[in-house]
Amino acid sequence: MREIIIGDLDKRISRHLSSVRATHAAFVTLLCVDTSGRVVAASDSSLLGTVQSGRKWVRLGLSGKRMLAGPVGAPDYERPMMEIAAPIRDPERRDHVIGALLGVYDWERTQ
Protein backbone atom coordinates (compact mmCIF):
# COMPACT_ATOMS: atom_id res chain seq x y z
CA MET A 1 0.00 0.00 0.00
CA ARG A 2 2.98 2.33 -0.09
CA GLU A 3 1.85 3.18 -3.61
CA ILE A 4 -0.76 5.42 -1.98
CA ILE A 5 1.99 7.71 -0.68
CA ILE A 6 3.43 8.42 -4.12
CA GLY A 7 0.14 8.13 -6.01
CA ASP A 8 1.42 5.27 -8.13
CA LEU A 9 -1.35 2.71 -7.84
CA ASP A 10 -1.63 0.33 -10.72
CA LYS A 11 -4.51 -1.94 -11.59
CA ARG A 12 -3.16 -4.67 -9.30
CA ILE A 13 -5.00 -3.41 -6.20
CA SER A 14 -8.23 -2.81 -8.12
CA ARG A 15 -8.02 -6.35 -9.54
CA HIS A 16 -7.55 -7.70 -6.03
CA LEU A 17 -10.56 -5.75 -4.71
CA SER A 18 -12.64 -7.00 -7.66
CA SER A 19 -11.51 -10.56 -6.94
CA VAL A 20 -12.51 -10.28 -3.28
CA ARG A 21 -15.89 -8.88 -4.29
CA ALA A 22 -16.43 -11.69 -6.81
CA THR A 23 -15.49 -14.32 -4.24
CA HIS A 24 -17.60 -12.82 -1.45
CA ALA A 25 -20.89 -11.73 -3.00
CA ALA A 26 -21.98 -9.88 0.14
CA PHE A 27 -19.40 -7.16 -0.56
CA VAL A 28 -21.18 -4.60 -2.72
CA THR A 29 -18.22 -2.25 -3.10
CA LEU A 30 -14.59 -2.18 -1.99
CA LEU A 31 -12.54 1.03 -2.22
CA CYS A 32 -9.10 2.28 -1.39
CA VAL A 33 -8.80 6.04 -0.89
CA ASP A 34 -5.81 8.34 -0.39
CA THR A 35 -5.61 10.95 2.37
CA SER A 36 -7.78 13.38 0.39
CA GLY A 37 -10.55 10.78 0.06
CA ARG A 38 -9.91 10.28 -3.67
CA VAL A 39 -10.59 6.71 -4.82
CA VAL A 40 -7.31 5.25 -6.06
CA ALA A 41 -8.44 1.62 -6.36
CA ALA A 42 -11.91 0.07 -6.44
CA SER A 43 -13.85 -3.05 -7.21
CA ASP A 44 -15.97 -0.83 -9.50
CA SER A 45 -13.76 1.06 -11.95
CA SER A 46 -16.37 3.81 -12.41
CA LEU A 47 -15.49 5.03 -8.89
CA LEU A 48 -11.81 5.61 -9.67
CA GLY A 49 -10.87 9.25 -9.22
CA THR A 50 -14.07 10.20 -7.42
CA VAL A 51 -13.76 11.94 -4.05
CA GLN A 52 -15.50 10.23 -1.14
CA SER A 53 -14.23 12.41 1.73
CA GLY A 54 -17.66 13.89 2.45
CA ARG A 55 -18.95 10.61 3.88
CA LYS A 56 -18.65 9.94 7.63
CA TRP A 57 -17.25 6.42 7.27
CA VAL A 58 -14.51 7.68 4.94
CA ARG A 59 -13.54 10.48 7.33
CA LEU A 60 -13.36 8.02 10.24
CA GLY A 61 -11.08 5.66 8.29
CA LEU A 62 -8.82 8.54 7.31
CA SER A 63 -8.69 9.78 10.91
CA GLY A 64 -7.18 6.44 11.94
CA LYS A 65 -10.33 4.88 13.36
CA ARG A 66 -11.86 1.58 12.34
CA MET A 67 -15.56 1.56 11.79
CA LEU A 68 -18.30 -1.00 11.31
CA ALA A 69 -21.73 0.60 11.06
CA GLY A 70 -25.07 -0.63 9.94
CA PRO A 71 -27.61 -0.93 8.84
CA VAL A 72 -26.97 2.35 7.06
CA GLY A 73 -29.55 3.70 4.67
CA ALA A 74 -28.23 5.87 1.88
CA PRO A 75 -29.54 6.93 -1.53
CA ASP A 76 -26.79 4.98 -3.28
CA TYR A 77 -27.85 1.66 -1.69
CA GLU A 78 -30.98 -0.27 -2.61
CA ARG A 79 -31.52 -1.23 1.03
CA PRO A 80 -29.69 -0.66 4.32
CA MET A 81 -26.08 -1.88 4.21
CA MET A 82 -23.09 -2.09 6.51
CA GLU A 83 -20.20 0.31 5.99
CA ILE A 84 -16.70 -0.81 6.94
CA ALA A 85 -13.65 1.47 7.20
CA ALA A 86 -10.08 0.57 8.11
CA PRO A 87 -7.16 2.99 8.07
CA ILE A 88 -4.10 2.14 5.99
CA ARG A 89 -1.02 3.07 7.97
CA ASP A 90 2.44 3.91 6.73
CA PRO A 91 4.45 0.74 7.44
CA GLU A 92 7.42 2.79 8.59
CA ARG A 93 5.46 5.30 10.70
CA ARG A 94 2.57 3.36 12.23
CA ASP A 95 1.01 6.51 13.69
CA HIS A 96 0.65 8.04 10.20
CA VAL A 97 -2.45 7.21 8.09
CA ILE A 98 -1.83 7.16 4.32
CA GLY A 99 -5.33 6.15 3.22
CA ALA A 100 -8.28 3.93 4.03
CA LEU A 101 -9.78 0.65 2.87
CA LEU A 102 -13.56 0.90 2.68
CA GLY A 103 -16.27 -1.63 2.10
CA VAL A 104 -20.02 -1.75 1.69
CA TYR A 105 -21.43 -5.08 2.86
CA ASP A 106 -24.92 -6.53 2.30
CA TRP A 107 -25.49 -9.19 4.94
CA GLU A 108 -28.71 -10.29 3.17
CA ARG A 109 -26.80 -11.56 0.11
CA THR A 110 -25.90 -15.20 -0.09
CA GLN A 111 -23.25 -16.79 -2.21
Side-chain angles (χ1 to χ4, degrees):
M1 290 301 201
R2 289 179 198 203
E3 291 92 343
I4 293 172
I5 297 171
I6 59 173
D8 187 29
L9 285 174
D10 57 19
K11 295 179 184 178
R12 179 175 47 100
I13 295 172
S14 287
R15 279 195 305 267
H16 178 70
L17 296 177
S18 294
S19 173
V20 170
R21 186 178 175 280
T23 305
H24 303 286
F27 280 108
V28 176
T29 304
L30 293 165
L31 309 168
C32 179
V33 297
D34 64 13
T35 56
S36 70
R38 184 178 58 91
V39 176
V40 293
S43 59
D44 176 355
S45 62
S46 70
L47 296 171
L48 292 172
T50 63
V51 177
Q52 303 291 320
S53 58
R55 313 263 319 252
K56 178 182 177 182
W57 62 305
V58 177
R59 289 191 311 269
L60 283 171
L62 291 173
S63 73
K65 297 179 179 144
R66 294 182 183 167
M67 186 194 100
L68 176 62
V72 175
D76 18 340
Y77 309 144
E78 296 172 12
R79 58 182 171 268
M81 303 282 179
M82 293 188 73
E83 293 177 328
I84 303 163
I88 300 170
R89 299 188 181 278
D90 184 328
E92 294 167 10
R93 295 181 3 217
R94 300 296 302 157
D95 60 331
H96 186 70
V97 175
I98 59 173
L101 180 61
L102 309 163
V104 176
Y105 187 85
D106 181 354
W107 65 84
E108 293 183 12
R109 284 191 184 180
T110 59
Q111 297 208 33

